[in-house]
Amino acid sequence: QPMIAVSSLDEVMNVEDLDISLTPKVEGRWRWTGTKTVQFEAKHRLPYSTEYALKVNKELSTLKPQCFLLFDQKIHTHEILKHLRVMYGDGHQMQNEKLELLDEKTVKSKFESFMNADQGNYEKYVAFSFKHDLLKATQYTIQLPSGCPSAEGPLKTRSEWSASFHTYEPLKITDWYPNMALKQSVDPGNSWSITFNNSLDHSTLNKSLFKFEPVVNGLGIEHTKGNGRQIIIHNSSEPNTVYKLFIQSAAMKDIYGQRLEQNNSNNSIQFHVHDPPPLIGDISGATGMIIMDPGVLDEPFYPFMVYNYSELTIRVNKVKPEHYQQCLPCFNSYYFTYENQEWYNKLPGEELLNEVIQTNCKRYEPKEIKVPLAAYLNKKSNSGQLIILIEPTKKAWDECQRGNWQYRQIISAWLQCTRLAVDVYLSSSMDLILTAWVTELMTGASVNQATVSVFDKKQETNQQGLCTIRTLSTENNEGGILVVEKDEDTCMIVDIYHDKSDFNVYVWHVFNDRGLYKPNDDVHIKGYVRLLKVESEAKLPSYAQGTIDYTINDPHGQKLEESKVRLNDYGAFDIKFKLPDNVNLGDGSIYFSLPDLATNTTHYFKVQEFRKPEYEVSSMHRPTTPHYCHLTTDEYVIVTCEGKLFAGGYLNDANVQWTVKPETTQFTPPERSDYTFGRAEQFFWRYRYNNSSQTQNKISYPAKTFQGKTNNKGLHEIKINYHGIEQEPRTTVVRALAAIT
């Protein structure tokens, strides 16, 4: 356990005060390398053929406090001691013969800061202790009446002075939570706590001291130095149960060496655990405009996750591009659902499915459900456009949240089951020219004679899969829908806007050298300014020229510096400034402006004070390559964390908390940027307005936590097994976060 405060690491300390001795004695020094580790450094090489004994004594504290009185002038110690009175209890006075003066060595050691503050203090103090232990749980008052003499002149004190202190109490329990006497109770699995009047000796605590009736599963005891008076009891308690606690008081001690006097054998502590709270239900899946993976179109399906809901309503409608509306549920997140809303009562297109399914999922365990889609697509090509909507039934909702039915969760998606892909470029010139490139989604091969329709104009692709549509209509400036058709197959892009851009713009690129700075650090800033000039269908960059005015503000908006810098021939600039010692912490800013060109920007940097930690934590995994899984083959990975002291050595027997969380992602093989595994966002989606983003296509699985302790090398490992993904080749990233405390 920690023996000194972190702030004391740099102080020169006498380790012998902690009863640490080396025999035979060797010339050298002791040095703290952390709050728990002390190291001896010999001045010379240790002699050979010698056995050394290192002894650490553990003494119990005695109730003999040391008192130190410092005066503003020189005194005669024994004269002051004659006048000094120690009162306790109900006006009782301690005889001065029971006091003893401290020697000069002890005073210098215990009250070093007072003694070194002024050389004259060596003749201005009285330091004493007590020959016998004081009474526990008692207030003592030290009094100096008027008339105390000085060593510098004949005048005496004119008023009385006093100060009080209170001795510690016998160790006992003061409170616990939940306390049945106060009608307190907790959820199953929630932690319990016991509070004492004194801080406990950590070395005397273990699980064997705590006995429960009935027996508690998953019992864990937590005691930290930061809250030494409290014990946290972790458990896997059962609902609607009263647990009785019996403590073996003889083995438990506080930091003063006292044993627990309160015996709970007859008057046990009771913890009440009530019934579990209502279930929390959840459904999650990809939403928005979804391009289905062409590799699964032979047996297409829509996957989603369900949590605690016993049954769900699933609706599937067959739609066409002209049915697209931004107000549809697949493009919006509704927090309140009126059942008389048009989109709820009647989804666009032809209704193919509207039924209730039983999820058969276990409580508190997420389950993946796949909705087969082949029956709702064109029979020959397995292509088509579908809207799917999933929601809990009223019965399932009442079993879980028991809240307002109008606030239920709904997930919906527009599914494009297609083998076509299209990339679009829309110029910003006056002519508004659109170029489309149609390819096969599976192979990337160009598609000839595909029909491209947009803004009431049609064009067929050539052998390279390209077509160009000129002079687009600009009426109402509404987003258009681009539709590509080939035989029975159809794909579409929505919300295409055709804005004219015939003006020049200035762009800034500003960066710093570190991002995070301490007070008194030098900050280096560099930047570039470019003019993007419109010429025909292109924007051509050119170097900006002029003088930049800039103002540096601290995180509270106070001005630190104001100056100018001139752009060089390449439109670049760099500045350097020093942060003050007393600068405010947070996000500072620099405001740049080119007054002659009417353009400006703001750059931000962080200012923080930080100290180097006592130890570092690193992690690794093996093997390091991606894992390819099949439904008949399992793979695994070993994840390791390591804790090391900066001063040398390992963090052994330290607590480790692992948090493991998987979610779907994308994967591009090395040096194969043209391939992406997972549900990637196509390039042309940048033109849509209010569709789902790439993150909405992710599926996040619940995080799992694991606990353990590091070994004598500061290491701890966990093994993560990968089970084969059934049909759809979905890329998954698993994040394992280790915290060592």
Side-chain angles (χ1 to χ4, degrees), residues 598-665:
T599 179
N600 59 76
T601 190
T602 302
H603 177 73
Y604 297 92
F605 59 93
K606 291 185 178 292
V607 182
Q608 294 293 341
E609 283 187 317
F610 51 92
R611 65 184 295 271
K612 191 173 182 179
E614 298 174 25
Y615 60 89
E616 63 176 342
V617 178
S618 59
S619 62
M620 66 208 78
H621 64 89
R622 62 183 192 273
T624 58
T625 57
H627 306 275
Y628 301 91
C629 304
H630 190 264
L631 69 148
T632 60
T633 305
D634 290 347
E635 297 284 348
Y636 70 88
V637 64
I638 302 296
V639 185
T640 307
C641 67
E642 180 183 38
K644 284 185 176 180
L645 291 168
F646 281 112
Y650 301 102
L651 281 177
N652 58 330
D653 200 33
N655 295 319
V656 181
Q657 172 88 15
W658 285 96
T659 303
V660 182
K661 181 176 178 61
E663 66 179 11
T664 57
T665 186

Side-chain angles (χ1 to χ4, degrees), residues 166-214:
H166 200 284
T167 55
Y168 54 77
E169 299 177 352
L171 178 60
K172 61 184 179 181
I173 297 173
T174 58
D175 192 17
W176 61 89
Y177 180 84
N179 192 332
M180 282 195 64
L182 302 178
K183 298 182 179 180
Q184 297 172 342
S185 63
V186 294
D187 293 335
N190 279 17
S191 299
W192 309 326
S193 65
I194 305 175
T195 304
F196 299 81
N197 61 332
N198 299 331
S199 294
L200 301 177
D201 183 351
H202 187 82
S203 63
T204 65
L205 300 177
N206 58 72
K207 290 195 295 185
S208 63
L209 302 180
F210 302 86
K211 304 296 182 182
F212 288 90
E213 292 182 2

Side-chain angles (χ1 to χ4, degrees), residues 489-555:
D489 205 349
T490 301
C491 76
M492 57 186 285
I493 305 175
V494 299
D495 298 334
I496 294 182
Y497 286 85
H498 41 84
D499 295 328
K500 297 179 182 179
S501 178
D502 56 355
F503 53 87
N504 304 329
V505 295
Y506 286 92
V507 293
W508 296 69
H509 177 58
V510 184
F511 55 95
N512 56 59
D513 59 333
R514 287 175 52 190
L516 179 63
Y517 301 90
K518 295 186 296 184
N520 209 34
D521 274 357
D522 291 329
V523 182
H524 298 264
I525 306 290
K526 191 168 186 176
Y528 301 89
V529 187
R530 296 286 186 267
L531 170 62
L532 296 184
K533 189 174 183 181
V534 176
E535 293 187 7
S536 185
E537 297 182 15
K539 288 184 177 181
L540 302 180
S542 61
Y543 304 128
Q545 299 297 320
T547 300
I548 296 177
D549 296 335
Y550 65 90
T551 303
I552 305 170
N553 296 313
D554 74 356

Side-chain angles (χ1 to χ4, degrees), residues 70 112-124:
L70 183 64
E112 180 181 9
S113 59
F114 294 102
M115 301 302 295
N116 293 339
D118 189 343
Q119 185 64 30
N121 286 349
Y122 284 85
E123 300 179 80
K124 300 178 181 179

Side-chain angles (χ1 to χ4, degrees), residues 292-300 377 381-383 416-419:
M292 298 294 290
D293 189 336
V296 299
L297 286 186
D298 291 338
E299 296 182 9
L377 302 175
S381 60
N382 268 10
S383 63
Q416 293 200 52
C417 301
T418 178
R419 289 179 169 82

Side-chain angles (χ1 to χ4, degrees), residues 371-602:
V371 181
L373 304 174
Y376 316 121
L377 302 175
N378 298 323
K379 301 302 181 183
K380 292 182 179 180
S381 60
N382 268 10
S383 63
Q385 307 280 322
L386 302 174
I387 287 181
I388 187 169
L389 185 145
I390 303 170
E391 62 178 338
T393 65
K394 185 70 165 58
K395 172 189 172 185
W397 176 263
D398 290 339
E399 291 172 349
C400 294
Q401 279 86 349
R402 301 176 185 173
N404 192 330
W405 167 243
Q406 307 289 353
Y407 288 100
R408 67 190 180 279
Q409 186 180 11
I410 292 176
I411 61 171
S412 180
W414 182 302
L415 307 177
Q416 293 200 52
C417 301
T418 178
R419 289 179 169 82
L420 298 175
V422 57
D423 289 317
V424 175
Y425 172 74
L426 187 64
S427 72
S428 57
S429 65
M430 296 295 294
D431 294 335
L432 295 176
I433 300 173
L434 182 144
T435 301
W437 181 29
V438 182
T439 58
E440 292 183 6
L441 187 57
M442 190 73 171
T443 64
S446 300
V447 177
N448 187 23
Q449 294 183 338
T451 302
V452 179
S453 306
V454 64
F455 296 120
D456 298 328
K457 293 196 174 186
K458 290 186 177 182
Q459 188 80 322
E460 281 195 354
T461 59
N462 58 21
Q463 292 182 351
Q464 287 76 38
L466 297 170
C467 73
T468 301
I469 300 177
R470 298 179 177 273
T471 316
L472 297 176
S473 171
T474 61
E475 295 180 1
N476 300 326
N477 194 31
E478 293 182 355
I481 301 176
L482 184 143
V483 180
V484 179
E485 297 175 298
K486 178 69 174 179
D487 300 330
E488 290 186 343
D489 205 349
T490 301
C491 76
M492 57 186 285
I493 305 175
V494 299
D495 298 334
I496 294 182
Y497 286 85
H498 41 84
D499 295 328
K500 297 179 182 179
S501 178
D502 56 355
F503 53 87
N504 304 329
V505 295
Y506 286 92
V507 293
W508 296 69
H509 177 58
V510 184
F511 55 95
N512 56 59
D513 59 333
R514 287 175 52 190
L516 179 63
Y517 301 90
K518 295 186 296 184
N520 209 34
D521 274 357
D522 291 329
V523 182
H524 298 264
I525 306 290
K526 191 168 186 176
Y528 301 89
V529 187
R530 296 286 186 267
L531 170 62
L532 296 184
K533 189 174 183 181
V534 176
E535 293 187 7
S536 185
E537 297 182 15
K539 288 184 177 181
L540 302 180
S542 61
Y543 304 128
Q545 299 297 320
T547 300
I548 296 177
D549 296 335
Y550 65 90
T551 303
I552 305 170
N553 296 313
D554 74 356
H556 289 183
Q558 298 179 3
K559 186 186 297 183
L560 298 180
E561 186 178 327
E562 190 174 34
S563 187
K564 299 177 181 290
V565 60
R566 185 168 182 79
L567 293 171
N568 62 18
D569 295 339
Y570 301 99
F573 67 92
D574 63 87
I575 61 174
K576 173 186 174 182
F577 60 92
K578 191 179 187 68
L579 294 172
D581 285 336
N582 59 346
V583 65
N584 292 311
L585 305 181
D587 292 332
S589 63
I590 310 174
Y591 176 75
F592 297 96
S593 67
L594 277 165
D596 297 338
L597 304 180
T599 179
N600 59 76
T601 190
T602 302

